[in-house]
Amino acid sequence: MCGIIGYNGFQDPKGILLDGLKRLEYRGYDSAGIAIIENGKVLVFRSEGRILQLESKLTSKVFKSTLGIGHTRWATHGAPTENNAHPHQVGKITIVHNGIIENYIEHKIALEKENCVFTTDTDSEVLAHLFDRALMSGDSLKEATVKILPTLKGSYAFVVISEEQPDQMIGVSNGAPLVIGTATDENYLASDIQAILHRTQKIIYLKDGQIAVCNKTGVELFSKNGVPEKVEIKTIQWTPDQMEKSGYRHYMLKEIHEQSRAIANTISGNIDTEIGIIQIPELNDFTEKLKNIDRISIVACGTARHAGLVGKYYFEKFANIATDVDFGSEFRYRQPVLEKNSFTLLISQSGETADTLAGLKESKAQSVPTLAICNVRESSLARESDIVLYTNAGPEIGVASTKAFTTQLTLLYMLAVQLGQLRGVISEEYAKELTRDLMHLPILVDRTLLLETQLEKIAQNFQDNPFFFYMGRDNQYPIALEGALKLKEISYAHAEGYPAGELKHGPIALIDRHAAVIVLATQDLPPKTKNAPPCFGENIIYQKVLSNLQQVKARGGQILSVGTEEDSLFSKESKYFIGLPKASWALNPILTSIPMQLLAYHIALLRGTDVDKPRNLAKSVTVE
């Protein structure tokens, strides 16, 4: 995944492009570059590494131009070197590209036979050569785009400019996001609205295969065949202030502390206040279908998949629906057999995750209904799914997902409760109790965030441990996976997450006095409603986790247990203990995820890593 920015207006583009690249740096930071048309010639400036290195090359440069494009790269084809950095220039053509041209080798072989000389190892350079050839044949930029698109395979977005048409830039989206920002006498192209939201809230979302022709005074849209299409401008509700750090040291820390508000936004509008029960409006037209569902297939990647694993517990216990959870990358290739009375639930913060989108296409090919949970409106996943539920978490800039995860869990909780009532698995009385519990969740989250000082001190004692082992049972097992992932992502420490019951099936061999072991062991508040589904509020899981903890302790593991308030038993058995506010079985995973985030953040801080931009990672994986 990479970041693209383009500007065509009346200002010097240098500052606009550099500012946009800084806001897109979470999408890639191996190398960066800009291209500006100055006096009819395209000037290209590139640098390996972060945006600051590129900026230093441009400090003394002043331009009269008003058009330029920029790119920050996350390497796929070719090493992260200055030579492979974008923009790529061939003849009078300059291009920036995000995604993968899957058939670039075929094109490259054909072009080399025509004596084209390649100077980089990227698939993107093929695009520049194709456009250069088309312009040599007399095509305009738009005509060249219409001619080239049918020959390309893959998911990609690109922006192209030409010295022959120095007042125009063209953008194309096909399976990778590209948006247009429009204002008076100036237009922008960008991979994400984050890059341009502080400049305009008027946004045009490019659909797959669409061609955008951006002039200074306006935007025209065409189909891949060159047929004019209607321009639909959306007004974005996110504010520029939401995109800033607001005094926090990192975006990640800001987003951790935004979770109570984000969860409140997720809940808002999804409760029938007259009867005090969860009622998601987007499901109103699908209630009959949902009553007869036999199976749910959850498809997601990374953190979103961990949310899906918790959702599996919710759906099976609240709604009595058999639920599978797949890695998006496995689902797309294993030829899944999807049942007639099933639906596919796709979870993605960005709505642009390539493997999850492939799962959507597979489900549609088998005529299975699709339901998406995502955070970004008008994303590819939102546009293509039959039903879309938004988490409304606000923009998440930090690469390591935090508030997106807890709002996904919140929405999965609400969906499971409503399905349970629709299907007659849980009573109206119990659904009301679950709704009341949910309405207290933002307060519980705020109370949990007050534990940060304790976790910061614990992090000081754990920062040098070579190995971290996270374990939990039941719906805490996915939180163990998520805790380990958070630590790996931002601190680069080796961490494993496991179901606690699997301890003696191999992982216990790793435990010694050097291992930091995080044990999730909350006690669940029992339901007040009679005849609630079984297993809630029972002490069996708690006792079994205690036994697992003692097995670790006997082998010298340094234990941090995360339990409920003043749990003297777990506190006594552990080197460190964090007590969470009392909560129900279904809400405890949301609360336990917060200490996992804070612990990872403070360990990463002590290790001196780049918390918001961890190495080798990007926010949204839009390519395989």
Side-chain angles (χ1 to χ4, degrees):
M1 186 184 76
C2 308
I4 289 172
I5 181 73
Y7 175 74
N8 192 0
F10 58 86
Q11 304 180 61
D12 179 349
K14 183 183 81 171
I16 293 170
L17 296 177
L18 288 172
D19 178 65
L21 290 178
K22 288 174 184 176
R23 295 171 187 272
L24 289 171
E25 197 170 16
Y26 70 93
R27 294 181 64 92
Y29 30 85
D30 293 333
S31 58
I34 67 170
I36 291 174
I37 295 185
E38 184 80 350
N39 298 321
K41 295 292 182 182
V42 176
L43 306 178
V44 175
F45 304 88
R46 302 185 297 179
S47 175
E48 183 179 342
R50 298 293 176 88
I51 309 300
L52 289 175
Q53 291 169 261
L54 173 65
E55 190 173 27
S56 66
K57 287 188 173 184
L58 292 161
T59 301
S60 61
K61 303 288 184 183
V62 178
F63 301 98
K64 296 178 181 179
S65 169
T66 57
L67 185 149
I69 57 177
H71 188 272
T72 181
R73 183 171 185 245
W74 186 51
T76 50
H77 293 86
T81 62
E82 182 174 329
N83 187 56
N84 287 330
H86 298 221
H88 292 302
Q89 190 173 28
V90 175
K92 295 181 179 182
I93 285 292
T94 305
I95 198 162
V96 290
H97 163 235
N98 178 18
I100 293 177
I101 307 299
E102 292 176 358
N103 60 335
Y104 84 100
I105 293 178
E106 299 164 34
H107 278 296
K108 187 173 182 178
I109 292 170
L111 288 163
E112 285 177 331
K113 287 179 180 178
E114 296 179 17
N115 299 317
C116 291
V117 177
F118 285 80
T119 60
T120 77
D121 302 318
T122 71
D123 58 332
S124 310
E125 191 183 355
V126 161
L127 285 172
H129 279 283
L130 291 172
F131 272 94
D132 181 57
R133 285 287 180 188
L135 261 66
M136 289 169 63
S137 301
D139 292 331
S140 68
L141 264 184
K142 194 199 93 174
E143 290 168 341
T145 307
V146 172
K147 182 183 291 185
I148 290 166
L149 284 184
T151 74
L152 304 178
K153 294 179 182 179
S155 296
Y156 52 81
F158 63 80
V159 177
V160 58
I161 58 176
S162 167
E163 291 176 359
E164 291 191 355
Q165 293 175 258
D167 58 347
Q168 186 178 96
M169 60 182 179
I170 285 186
V172 172
S173 170
N174 187 66
L178 196 66
V179 299
I180 304 164
T182 184
T184 304
D185 294 332
E186 53 186 349
N187 292 290
Y188 306 83
L189 281 166
S191 297
D192 278 343
I193 61 171
Q194 282 93 320
I196 56 176
L197 187 61
H198 59 300
R199 300 186 184 277
T200 179
Q201 291 180 286
K202 302 294 184 182
I203 300 295
I204 302 164
Y205 291 93
L206 274 188
K207 298 175 184 176
D208 281 357
Q210 273 190 324
I211 301 167
V213 178
C214 296
N215 301 303
K216 287 182 175 62
T217 55
V219 175
E220 296 177 282
L221 295 184
F222 299 89
S223 72
K224 61 184 177 182
N225 299 318
V227 178
E229 295 193 345
K230 183 180 178 182
V231 175
E232 295 183 16
I233 299 175
K234 307 275 186 178
T235 300
I236 299 302
Q237 299 305 316
W238 289 353
T239 66
D241 287 345
Q242 288 179 286
M243 315 296 287
E244 304 299 336
K245 294 179 185 175
S246 303
Y248 287 95
R249 186 170 177 179
H250 294 96
Y251 283 113
M252 182 181 179
L253 186 61
K254 171 181 175 274
E255 289 154 7
I256 289 171
H257 282 271
E258 286 177 338
Q259 286 178 106
S260 61
R261 184 175 65 184
I263 288 169
N265 290 339
T266 304
I267 297 169
S268 178
N270 290 316
I271 293 176
D272 186 330
T273 53
E274 289 188 10
I275 58 175
I277 206 162
I278 292 166
Q279 191 72 43
I280 302 172
E282 288 81 2
L283 302 183
N284 289 345
D285 295 335
F286 300 90
T287 52
E288 289 305 314
K289 281 187 178 181
L290 294 172
K291 282 181 184 177
N292 299 312
I293 290 296
D294 295 325
R295 181 172 293 276
I296 298 172
S297 296
I298 298 177
V299 179
C301 302
T303 287
R305 179 178 171 274
H306 296 158
L309 288 169
V310 177
K312 173 181 171 71
Y313 286 95
Y314 290 164
F315 291 129
E316 293 187 343
K317 288 196 175 182
F318 285 145
N320 195 30
I321 304 176
T323 304
D324 303 317
V325 184
D326 264 283
F327 292 99
S329 55
E330 292 296 320
F331 185 84
R332 71 184 301 185
Y333 291 120
R334 71 170 174 83
Q335 296 181 310
V337 178
L338 304 178
E339 298 175 10
K340 182 179 178 181
N341 291 326
S342 68
F343 73 80
T344 302
L345 173 57
L346 305 118
I347 309 173
S348 168
Q349 188 281 142
S350 68
E352 302 294 348
T353 308
D355 288 322
T356 305
L357 288 171
L360 172 74
K361 291 177 182 177
E362 176 62 33
S363 299
K364 283 184 169 294
Q366 296 193 38
S367 301
V368 171
T370 55
L371 189 157
I373 290 178
C374 70
N375 190 40
V376 180
R377 293 180 183 274
E378 301 297 327
S379 61
S380 299
L381 187 63
R383 292 196 305 266
E384 299 296 326
S385 297
D386 297 316
I387 310 171
V388 57
L389 307 181
Y390 291 108
T391 53
N392 296 319
E396 187 177 71
I397 308 300
V399 167
S401 183
T402 52
K403 65 177 179 176
F405 178 66
T406 50
T407 54
Q408 287 164 357
L409 294 182
T410 303
L411 205 42
L412 287 163
Y413 174 105
M414 290 191 287
L415 180 58
V417 170
Q418 185 164 344
L419 287 176
Q421 197 186 2
L422 272 175
R423 295 163 56 82
V425 177
I426 60 177
S427 65
E428 182 175 320
E429 182 186 3
Y430 188 44
K432 287 182 178 179
E433 180 183 341
L434 292 168
T435 304
R436 288 193 299 272
D437 289 346
L438 180 66
M439 292 174 74
H440 285 99
L441 179 58
I443 296 171
L444 296 176
V445 169
D446 276 333
R447 288 176 56 192
T448 303
L449 287 166
L450 295 175
L451 300 168
E452 182 176 4
T453 302
Q454 287 178 251
L455 287 156
E456 186 176 2
K457 291 178 181 176
I458 293 169
Q460 291 170 6
N461 294 298
F462 274 173
Q463 63 174 306
D464 296 324
N465 283 68
F467 172 62
F468 291 77
F469 187 79
Y470 292 71
M471 65 180 188
R473 283 181 181 255
D474 196 61
N475 64 3
Q476 294 290 352
Y477 148 59
I479 308 305
L481 296 180
E482 176 62 11
L485 178 62
K486 280 290 150 288
L487 191 70
K488 284 185 278 194
E489 284 179 321
I490 61 172
S491 78
Y492 319 144
H494 179 60
E496 294 277 356
Y498 253 85
E502 291 292 298
L503 186 65
K504 290 188 286 188
H505 293 273
I508 200 167
L510 297 169
I511 304 301
D512 60 17
R513 62 186 178 86
H514 301 295
V517 182
I518 292 85
V519 182
L520 306 180
T522 51
Q523 297 181 68
D524 307 324
L525 282 174
K528 297 174 183 176
T529 305
K530 294 181 181 179
N531 301 318
C535 298
F536 297 85
E538 292 188 7
N539 212 27
I540 297 171
I541 298 295
Y542 175 82
Q543 293 295 335
K544 288 187 177 293
V545 177
L546 176 61
S547 174
N548 297 138
L549 181 151
Q550 290 166 336
Q551 293 161 20
V552 168
K553 185 178 180 181
R555 288 156 180 83
Q558 306 299 300
I559 298 169
L560 162 62
S561 58
V562 180
T564 302
E565 288 191 342
E566 301 299 328
D567 186 333
S568 58
L569 188 55
F570 264 80
S571 179
K572 180 182 177 183
E573 294 289 335
S574 308
K575 185 172 184 179
Y576 308 102
F577 175 78
I578 291 290
L580 303 178
K582 291 179 180 178
S584 65
W585 168 85
L587 296 185
N588 267 325
I590 300 174
L591 298 185
T592 50
S593 65
I594 295 169
M596 301 301 96
Q597 297 165 359
L598 288 168
L599 182 67
Y601 173 80
H602 285 289
I603 289 175
L605 208 61
L606 290 163
R607 288 186 171 215
T609 62
D610 191 334
V611 172
D612 283 334
K613 304 180 184 75
R615 69 188 183 199
N616 304 331
L617 296 179
K619 181 63 178 171
S620 175
V621 183
T622 59
V623 296
E624 285 193 77

